[in-house]
Amino acid sequence: MTLRGCGSAALFVSAAFLAWLSFGVTVEMETFVGLRPNDVGFALFFAVLAAGAALCGLRLAGRRSVLALAATVCLAAALAWRLHTIAPALHCWDHNTVGRNDDGSYDCFDL
């Protein structure tokens, strides 16, 4: 394996970890009804970093790397799902607490 391949693999591992971290930071907020700290900004930040790392890994691997393209597509699908799940809470961007309702919507609070 070349140095470019190892670097690309390290970037994809980093991207996968950041995507996992993006999911994990808001799991409590998305699972239970009630007031929770607003961690949507962190989730979005980690998702953007994961997308950047995946694109850098694809760029480093080269255009003809099928494995890098497949990893990028898988990470893009995971990040699209991530953005879909946090989209209802994005309007609470500047509030420090969110309340999840039974229907999946969020109310914004400053406590």
Side-chain angles (χ1 to χ4, degrees):
M1 198 171 200
T2 65
L3 187 59
R4 287 180 65 180
C6 289
S8 177
L11 282 168
F12 281 117
V13 168
S14 299
F17 176 73
L18 288 167
W20 174 79
L21 198 59
S22 176
F23 277 98
V25 77
T26 60
V27 72
E28 184 178 282
M29 184 180 87
E30 296 171 0
T31 306
F32 305 109
V33 175
L35 293 177
R36 301 284 183 257
N38 187 4
D39 294 329
V40 172
F42 291 118
L44 191 60
F45 175 71
F46 290 136
V48 168
L49 285 179
L55 289 176
C56 288
L58 179 64
R59 177 81 175 159
L60 189 62
R63 294 183 308 176
R64 294 182 292 188
S65 176
V66 176
L67 187 59
L69 185 60
T72 304
V73 168
C74 289
L75 278 166
L79 292 176
W81 179 253
R82 169 78 274 197
L83 293 178
H84 172 73
T85 57
I86 65 171
L90 284 178
H91 72 280
C92 296
W93 182 268
D94 56 346
H95 298 280
N96 62 6
T97 306
V98 294
R100 185 174 186 273
N101 301 320
D102 288 329
D103 64 352
S105 64
Y106 291 90
D107 295 324
C108 310
F109 300 99
D110 283 321
L111 300 178

